[in-house]
Short mmCIF file of all heavy atoms in Angstrom, two decimals:
data_model
loop_
_atom_site.label_atom_id
_atom_site.label_comp_id
_atom_site.label_asym_id
_atom_site.label_seq_id
_atom_site.Cartn_x
_atom_site.Cartn_y
_atom_site.Cartn_z
N ALA M 1304 -14.87 -10.05 5.39
CA ALA M 1304 -14.08 -11.14 4.80
C ALA M 1304 -13.20 -10.62 3.67
O ALA M 1304 -12.04 -11.02 3.53
CB ALA M 1304 -15.01 -12.24 4.30
N LEU M 1305 -13.74 -9.74 2.86
CA LEU M 1305 -12.97 -9.18 1.75
C LEU M 1305 -11.86 -8.26 2.24
O LEU M 1305 -10.83 -8.13 1.59
CB LEU M 1305 -13.91 -8.44 0.80
CG LEU M 1305 -13.38 -8.09 -0.58
CD1 LEU M 1305 -12.90 -9.34 -1.30
CD2 LEU M 1305 -14.45 -7.40 -1.39
N ASP M 1306 -12.06 -7.65 3.40
CA ASP M 1306 -11.01 -6.83 4.02
C ASP M 1306 -9.73 -7.63 4.22
O ASP M 1306 -8.63 -7.13 3.98
CB ASP M 1306 -11.47 -6.28 5.37
CG ASP M 1306 -12.24 -4.99 5.25
OD1 ASP M 1306 -12.21 -4.39 4.18
OD2 ASP M 1306 -12.86 -4.61 6.25
N PHE M 1307 -9.88 -8.84 4.71
CA PHE M 1307 -8.70 -9.67 4.96
C PHE M 1307 -7.95 -9.96 3.68
O PHE M 1307 -6.72 -9.85 3.62
CB PHE M 1307 -9.10 -10.99 5.63
CG PHE M 1307 -9.43 -10.85 7.06
CD1 PHE M 1307 -10.73 -10.96 7.49
CD2 PHE M 1307 -8.44 -10.60 7.99
CE1 PHE M 1307 -11.05 -10.82 8.83
CE2 PHE M 1307 -8.74 -10.45 9.33
CZ PHE M 1307 -10.05 -10.56 9.75
N ILE M 1308 -8.68 -10.32 2.65
CA ILE M 1308 -8.05 -10.66 1.37
C ILE M 1308 -7.32 -9.46 0.79
O ILE M 1308 -6.16 -9.56 0.37
CB ILE M 1308 -9.11 -11.20 0.39
CG1 ILE M 1308 -9.69 -12.51 0.91
CG2 ILE M 1308 -8.52 -11.38 -1.01
CD1 ILE M 1308 -10.92 -12.97 0.18
N LEU M 1309 -7.96 -8.30 0.80
CA LEU M 1309 -7.34 -7.12 0.21
C LEU M 1309 -6.17 -6.62 1.04
O LEU M 1309 -5.19 -6.10 0.49
CB LEU M 1309 -8.39 -6.02 0.02
CG LEU M 1309 -9.39 -6.31 -1.09
CD1 LEU M 1309 -10.43 -5.20 -1.18
CD2 LEU M 1309 -8.70 -6.47 -2.43
N THR M 1310 -6.23 -6.78 2.35
CA THR M 1310 -5.09 -6.37 3.19
C THR M 1310 -3.90 -7.27 2.94
O THR M 1310 -2.75 -6.79 2.88
CB THR M 1310 -5.48 -6.39 4.67
OG1 THR M 1310 -6.59 -5.52 4.86
CG2 THR M 1310 -4.34 -5.92 5.54
N VAL M 1311 -4.13 -8.56 2.74
CA VAL M 1311 -3.03 -9.47 2.42
C VAL M 1311 -2.42 -9.11 1.06
O VAL M 1311 -1.19 -9.10 0.90
CB VAL M 1311 -3.51 -10.94 2.45
CG1 VAL M 1311 -2.50 -11.87 1.84
CG2 VAL M 1311 -3.82 -11.35 3.88
N ILE M 1312 -3.26 -8.77 0.10
CA ILE M 1312 -2.75 -8.36 -1.22
C ILE M 1312 -1.95 -7.07 -1.10
O ILE M 1312 -0.88 -6.93 -1.70
CB ILE M 1312 -3.91 -8.21 -2.22
CG1 ILE M 1312 -4.49 -9.58 -2.55
CG2 ILE M 1312 -3.47 -7.49 -3.48
CD1 ILE M 1312 -5.75 -9.54 -3.37
N LEU M 1313 -2.43 -6.14 -0.28
CA LEU M 1313 -1.72 -4.88 -0.09
C LEU M 1313 -0.36 -5.11 0.56
O LEU M 1313 0.65 -4.56 0.13
CB LEU M 1313 -2.56 -3.92 0.75
CG LEU M 1313 -1.98 -2.55 1.03
CD1 LEU M 1313 -1.81 -1.78 -0.27
CD2 LEU M 1313 -2.87 -1.79 1.99
N ILE M 1314 -0.32 -5.94 1.60
CA ILE M 1314 0.95 -6.21 2.28
C ILE M 1314 1.91 -6.96 1.35
O ILE M 1314 3.12 -6.69 1.35
CB ILE M 1314 0.70 -6.98 3.59
CG1 ILE M 1314 -0.01 -6.07 4.59
CG2 ILE M 1314 2.00 -7.50 4.19
CD1 ILE M 1314 -0.48 -6.76 5.83
N ALA M 1315 1.39 -7.87 0.54
CA ALA M 1315 2.25 -8.60 -0.40
C ALA M 1315 2.83 -7.66 -1.45
O ALA M 1315 4.01 -7.77 -1.81
CB ALA M 1315 1.45 -9.71 -1.08
N SER M 1316 2.03 -6.72 -1.93
CA SER M 1316 2.56 -5.78 -2.93
C SER M 1316 3.58 -4.84 -2.29
O SER M 1316 4.56 -4.48 -2.94
CB SER M 1316 1.42 -4.99 -3.57
OG SER M 1316 0.87 -4.06 -2.66
N CYS M 1317 3.35 -4.46 -1.05
CA CYS M 1317 4.34 -3.63 -0.34
C CYS M 1317 5.65 -4.40 -0.16
O CYS M 1317 6.74 -3.83 -0.33
CB CYS M 1317 3.82 -3.23 1.03
SG CYS M 1317 2.51 -2.04 1.02
N SER M 1318 5.55 -5.67 0.17
CA SER M 1318 6.75 -6.47 0.36
C SER M 1318 7.53 -6.65 -0.93
O SER M 1318 8.76 -6.57 -0.94
CB SER M 1318 6.37 -7.84 0.94
OG SER M 1318 5.75 -7.69 2.18
N SER M 1319 6.82 -6.88 -2.03
CA SER M 1319 7.53 -7.05 -3.30
C SER M 1319 8.18 -5.74 -3.74
O SER M 1319 9.30 -5.73 -4.25
CB SER M 1319 6.60 -7.59 -4.38
OG SER M 1319 5.61 -6.63 -4.70
N ALA M 1320 7.48 -4.62 -3.53
CA ALA M 1320 8.07 -3.32 -3.88
C ALA M 1320 9.26 -3.01 -2.98
O ALA M 1320 10.26 -2.45 -3.44
CB ALA M 1320 7.01 -2.22 -3.76
N LEU M 1321 9.19 -3.38 -1.71
CA LEU M 1321 10.31 -3.16 -0.81
C LEU M 1321 11.51 -4.02 -1.21
O LEU M 1321 12.66 -3.56 -1.13
CB LEU M 1321 9.90 -3.47 0.63
CG LEU M 1321 10.96 -3.21 1.70
CD1 LEU M 1321 11.36 -1.74 1.72
CD2 LEU M 1321 10.45 -3.65 3.05
N THR M 1322 11.26 -5.21 -1.67
CA THR M 1322 12.35 -6.07 -2.14
C THR M 1322 13.07 -5.44 -3.32
O THR M 1322 14.31 -5.40 -3.35
CB THR M 1322 11.81 -7.46 -2.52
OG1 THR M 1322 11.17 -8.03 -1.38
CG2 THR M 1322 12.90 -8.37 -3.01
N ILE M 1323 12.31 -4.94 -4.28
CA ILE M 1323 12.92 -4.30 -5.44
C ILE M 1323 13.63 -3.02 -5.03
O ILE M 1323 14.72 -2.70 -5.51
CB ILE M 1323 11.86 -4.03 -6.52
CG1 ILE M 1323 11.30 -5.34 -7.05
CG2 ILE M 1323 12.44 -3.21 -7.66
CD1 ILE M 1323 12.33 -6.26 -7.68
N GLY M 1324 13.02 -2.27 -4.09
CA GLY M 1324 13.66 -1.06 -3.60
C GLY M 1324 14.99 -1.34 -2.92
O GLY M 1324 15.96 -0.61 -3.09
N MET M 1325 15.04 -2.42 -2.16
CA MET M 1325 16.31 -2.80 -1.52
C MET M 1325 17.33 -3.26 -2.56
O MET M 1325 18.53 -3.01 -2.39
CB MET M 1325 16.07 -3.90 -0.48
CG MET M 1325 15.31 -3.43 0.74
SD MET M 1325 16.07 -2.04 1.58
CE MET M 1325 17.60 -2.75 2.12
N MET M 1326 16.88 -3.91 -3.60
CA MET M 1326 17.79 -4.29 -4.68
C MET M 1326 18.35 -3.05 -5.36
O MET M 1326 19.53 -3.02 -5.74
CB MET M 1326 17.08 -5.18 -5.70
CG MET M 1326 16.74 -6.55 -5.18
SD MET M 1326 18.18 -7.55 -4.97
CE MET M 1326 18.55 -7.89 -6.65
N GLU M 1327 17.51 -2.03 -5.54
CA GLU M 1327 18.01 -0.80 -6.13
C GLU M 1327 18.95 -0.06 -5.19
O GLU M 1327 19.87 0.61 -5.63
CB GLU M 1327 16.83 0.11 -6.50
CG GLU M 1327 16.04 -0.40 -7.67
CD GLU M 1327 14.82 0.45 -7.97
OE1 GLU M 1327 14.33 1.16 -7.07
OE2 GLU M 1327 14.35 0.37 -9.12
N SER M 1328 18.72 -0.21 -3.91
CA SER M 1328 19.55 0.47 -2.92
C SER M 1328 20.86 -0.26 -2.66
O SER M 1328 21.93 0.36 -2.62
CB SER M 1328 18.77 0.60 -1.61
OG SER M 1328 19.57 1.14 -0.62
N GLU M 1329 20.80 -1.56 -2.48
CA GLU M 1329 21.98 -2.34 -2.11
C GLU M 1329 22.67 -3.01 -3.30
O GLU M 1329 23.84 -3.34 -3.22
CB GLU M 1329 21.57 -3.44 -1.11
CG GLU M 1329 20.83 -2.93 0.11
CD GLU M 1329 21.76 -2.30 1.12
OE1 GLU M 1329 22.90 -2.77 1.23
OE2 GLU M 1329 21.33 -1.35 1.78
N GLY M 1330 21.89 -3.29 -4.34
CA GLY M 1330 22.44 -4.03 -5.47
C GLY M 1330 22.46 -5.52 -5.16
O GLY M 1330 22.09 -5.96 -4.08
N ASN M 1331 22.91 -6.30 -6.14
CA ASN M 1331 23.05 -7.74 -5.97
C ASN M 1331 24.33 -8.16 -6.69
O ASN M 1331 24.34 -8.28 -7.92
CB ASN M 1331 21.84 -8.47 -6.54
CG ASN M 1331 21.88 -9.96 -6.26
OD1 ASN M 1331 22.88 -10.50 -5.80
ND2 ASN M 1331 20.77 -10.62 -6.54
N PRO M 1332 25.40 -8.40 -5.95
CA PRO M 1332 26.66 -8.73 -6.61
C PRO M 1332 26.63 -10.07 -7.35
O PRO M 1332 27.36 -10.26 -8.31
CB PRO M 1332 27.67 -8.77 -5.46
CG PRO M 1332 26.87 -8.93 -4.23
CD PRO M 1332 25.53 -8.33 -4.50
N HIS M 1333 25.75 -10.99 -6.93
CA HIS M 1333 25.66 -12.29 -7.61
C HIS M 1333 25.03 -12.18 -9.00
O HIS M 1333 25.38 -12.94 -9.89
CB HIS M 1333 24.88 -13.28 -6.75
CG HIS M 1333 25.46 -13.48 -5.39
ND1 HIS M 1333 26.68 -14.09 -5.18
CD2 HIS M 1333 25.02 -13.12 -4.17
CE1 HIS M 1333 26.95 -14.11 -3.90
NE2 HIS M 1333 25.96 -13.52 -3.25
N ALA M 1334 24.12 -11.25 -9.15
CA ALA M 1334 23.47 -11.03 -10.44
C ALA M 1334 24.08 -9.86 -11.19
O ALA M 1334 23.59 -9.48 -12.24
CB ALA M 1334 21.98 -10.79 -10.24
N PHE M 1335 25.13 -9.25 -10.64
CA PHE M 1335 25.79 -8.09 -11.21
C PHE M 1335 24.84 -6.91 -11.38
O PHE M 1335 24.94 -6.15 -12.33
CB PHE M 1335 26.47 -8.45 -12.54
CG PHE M 1335 27.49 -9.54 -12.41
CD1 PHE M 1335 27.24 -10.81 -12.88
CD2 PHE M 1335 28.69 -9.29 -11.77
CE1 PHE M 1335 28.18 -11.81 -12.74
CE2 PHE M 1335 29.63 -10.28 -11.63
CZ PHE M 1335 29.38 -11.56 -12.11
N TRP M 1336 23.92 -6.77 -10.43
CA TRP M 1336 23.02 -5.63 -10.42
C TRP M 1336 23.62 -4.61 -9.46
O TRP M 1336 23.69 -4.81 -8.26
CB TRP M 1336 21.64 -6.04 -9.94
CG TRP M 1336 20.58 -4.99 -10.12
CD1 TRP M 1336 20.77 -3.68 -10.42
CD2 TRP M 1336 19.18 -5.16 -10.00
NE1 TRP M 1336 19.58 -3.01 -10.50
CE2 TRP M 1336 18.57 -3.91 -10.25
CE3 TRP M 1336 18.36 -6.23 -9.73
CZ2 TRP M 1336 17.21 -3.72 -10.21
CZ3 TRP M 1336 17.00 -6.04 -9.70
CH2 TRP M 1336 16.43 -4.79 -9.94
N LEU M 1337 24.06 -3.50 -10.01
CA LEU M 1337 24.72 -2.48 -9.22
C LEU M 1337 23.69 -1.59 -8.53
O LEU M 1337 22.61 -1.35 -9.07
CB LEU M 1337 25.63 -1.64 -10.11
CG LEU M 1337 26.75 -2.41 -10.81
CD1 LEU M 1337 27.51 -1.49 -11.75
CD2 LEU M 1337 27.68 -3.03 -9.80
N PRO M 1338 24.00 -1.09 -7.33
CA PRO M 1338 23.07 -0.17 -6.66
C PRO M 1338 22.96 1.15 -7.42
O PRO M 1338 23.92 1.61 -8.03
CB PRO M 1338 23.68 0.02 -5.28
CG PRO M 1338 25.11 -0.36 -5.42
CD PRO M 1338 25.19 -1.35 -6.54
N ILE M 1339 21.75 1.73 -7.40
CA ILE M 1339 21.54 2.98 -8.13
C ILE M 1339 21.16 4.13 -7.21
O ILE M 1339 21.07 5.26 -7.66
CB ILE M 1339 20.47 2.81 -9.21
CG1 ILE M 1339 19.12 2.47 -8.60
CG2 ILE M 1339 20.88 1.78 -10.24
CD1 ILE M 1339 17.96 2.58 -9.58
N CYS M 1340 20.94 3.86 -5.93
CA CYS M 1340 20.46 4.93 -5.03
C CYS M 1340 21.50 6.00 -4.76
O CYS M 1340 21.14 7.11 -4.39
CB CYS M 1340 19.94 4.33 -3.73
SG CYS M 1340 18.31 3.58 -3.94
N HIS M 1341 22.77 5.68 -4.92
CA HIS M 1341 23.78 6.73 -4.75
C HIS M 1341 23.84 7.64 -5.98
O HIS M 1341 24.31 8.76 -5.89
CB HIS M 1341 25.15 6.11 -4.45
CG HIS M 1341 25.71 5.31 -5.56
ND1 HIS M 1341 25.29 4.04 -5.84
CD2 HIS M 1341 26.66 5.61 -6.48
CE1 HIS M 1341 25.94 3.58 -6.88
NE2 HIS M 1341 26.79 4.51 -7.29
N ILE M 1342 23.32 7.15 -7.10
CA ILE M 1342 23.28 7.96 -8.32
C ILE M 1342 21.96 8.74 -8.41
O ILE M 1342 21.95 9.89 -8.81
CB ILE M 1342 23.44 7.06 -9.57
CG1 ILE M 1342 24.77 6.33 -9.51
CG2 ILE M 1342 23.32 7.88 -10.84
CD1 ILE M 1342 24.92 5.27 -10.57
N PHE M 1343 20.86 8.10 -8.01
CA PHE M 1343 19.53 8.69 -8.08
C PHE M 1343 18.90 8.74 -6.68
O PHE M 1343 17.96 7.99 -6.39
CB PHE M 1343 18.63 7.88 -9.02
CG PHE M 1343 19.14 7.78 -10.41
CD1 PHE M 1343 19.73 6.61 -10.87
CD2 PHE M 1343 19.03 8.85 -11.28
CE1 PHE M 1343 20.19 6.50 -12.16
CE2 PHE M 1343 19.50 8.75 -12.58
CZ PHE M 1343 20.09 7.58 -13.02
N PRO M 1344 19.37 9.62 -5.80
CA PRO M 1344 18.87 9.62 -4.42
C PRO M 1344 17.41 10.09 -4.30
O PRO M 1344 16.67 9.58 -3.46
CB PRO M 1344 19.82 10.57 -3.69
CG PRO M 1344 20.38 11.45 -4.75
CD PRO M 1344 20.42 10.62 -5.99
N PHE M 1345 16.99 11.04 -5.13
CA PHE M 1345 15.61 11.52 -5.05
C PHE M 1345 14.62 10.43 -5.42
O PHE M 1345 13.59 10.26 -4.76
CB PHE M 1345 15.42 12.75 -5.95
CG PHE M 1345 14.04 13.30 -5.92
CD1 PHE M 1345 13.58 13.99 -4.82
CD2 PHE M 1345 13.19 13.11 -7.01
CE1 PHE M 1345 12.28 14.50 -4.79
CE2 PHE M 1345 11.90 13.61 -6.98
CZ PHE M 1345 11.44 14.30 -5.88
N TYR M 1346 14.93 9.69 -6.47
CA TYR M 1346 14.08 8.58 -6.89
C TYR M 1346 13.93 7.55 -5.78
O TYR M 1346 12.82 7.13 -5.45
CB TYR M 1346 14.67 7.93 -8.15
CG TYR M 1346 14.08 6.60 -8.49
CD1 TYR M 1346 12.84 6.51 -9.11
CD2 TYR M 1346 14.76 5.42 -8.20
CE1 TYR M 1346 12.29 5.27 -9.42
CE2 TYR M 1346 14.22 4.19 -8.51
CZ TYR M 1346 12.99 4.12 -9.12
OH TYR M 1346 12.45 2.90 -9.42
N CYS M 1347 15.04 7.18 -5.16
CA CYS M 1347 14.99 6.17 -4.09
C CYS M 1347 14.24 6.69 -2.87
O CYS M 1347 13.51 5.94 -2.22
CB CYS M 1347 16.40 5.74 -3.72
SG CYS M 1347 17.19 4.77 -5.00
N PHE M 1348 14.39 7.98 -2.57
CA PHE M 1348 13.67 8.56 -1.44
C PHE M 1348 12.17 8.48 -1.68
O PHE M 1348 11.40 8.10 -0.78
CB PHE M 1348 14.11 10.01 -1.22
CG PHE M 1348 13.30 10.72 -0.18
CD1 PHE M 1348 13.50 10.45 1.16
CD2 PHE M 1348 12.34 11.66 -0.55
CE1 PHE M 1348 12.75 11.10 2.14
CE2 PHE M 1348 11.59 12.31 0.40
CZ PHE M 1348 11.80 12.03 1.75
N ILE M 1349 11.72 8.83 -2.87
CA ILE M 1349 10.29 8.80 -3.19
C ILE M 1349 9.76 7.37 -3.14
O ILE M 1349 8.68 7.11 -2.61
CB ILE M 1349 10.02 9.44 -4.57
CG1 ILE M 1349 10.37 10.93 -4.54
CG2 ILE M 1349 8.59 9.24 -5.02
CD1 ILE M 1349 9.52 11.75 -3.59
N VAL M 1350 10.52 6.41 -3.67
CA VAL M 1350 10.09 5.01 -3.66
C VAL M 1350 9.95 4.51 -2.23
O VAL M 1350 8.93 3.90 -1.86
CB VAL M 1350 11.08 4.14 -4.47
CG1 VAL M 1350 10.86 2.67 -4.19
CG2 VAL M 1350 10.92 4.43 -5.95
N PHE M 1351 10.94 4.75 -1.39
CA PHE M 1351 10.87 4.26 -0.01
C PHE M 1351 9.81 5.00 0.80
O PHE M 1351 9.18 4.41 1.68
CB PHE M 1351 12.24 4.33 0.66
CG PHE M 1351 13.17 3.25 0.22
CD1 PHE M 1351 14.37 3.56 -0.39
CD2 PHE M 1351 12.85 1.92 0.40
CE1 PHE M 1351 15.23 2.56 -0.81
CE2 PHE M 1351 13.69 0.92 -0.01
CZ PHE M 1351 14.89 1.23 -0.61
N LEU M 1352 9.58 6.27 0.51
CA LEU M 1352 8.51 7.01 1.18
C LEU M 1352 7.15 6.43 0.81
O LEU M 1352 6.28 6.24 1.68
CB LEU M 1352 8.58 8.49 0.82
CG LEU M 1352 7.54 9.39 1.47
CD1 LEU M 1352 7.71 9.43 2.98
CD2 LEU M 1352 7.64 10.79 0.89
N ALA M 1353 6.95 6.11 -0.46
CA ALA M 1353 5.68 5.52 -0.91
C ALA M 1353 5.46 4.15 -0.26
O ALA M 1353 4.35 3.84 0.20
CB ALA M 1353 5.67 5.38 -2.43
N ILE M 1354 6.51 3.35 -0.18
CA ILE M 1354 6.37 2.03 0.44
C ILE M 1354 6.06 2.16 1.94
O ILE M 1354 5.22 1.44 2.47
CB ILE M 1354 7.64 1.19 0.19
CG1 ILE M 1354 7.79 0.88 -1.30
CG2 ILE M 1354 7.62 -0.10 1.00
CD1 ILE M 1354 9.13 0.30 -1.68
#
Side-chain angles (χ1 to χ4, degrees):
L1305 195 57
D1306 274 346
F1307 284 109
I1308 295 168
L1309 289 178
T1310 302
V1311 168
I1312 290 172
L1313 181 63
I1314 292 172
S1316 71
C1317 289
S1318 299
S1319 67
L1321 183 61
T1322 301
I1323 296 300
M1325 290 304 296
M1326 290 289 287
E1327 289 176 337
S1328 175
E1329 306 283 326
N1331 186 350
H1333 302 293
F1335 301 107
W1336 190 348
L1337 300 175
I1339 63 168
C1340 284
H1341 65 282
I1342 301 171
F1343 301 104
F1345 180 73
Y1346 166 79
C1347 290
F1348 174 75
I1349 295 297
V1350 165
F1351 284 120
L1352 181 64
I1354 294 169

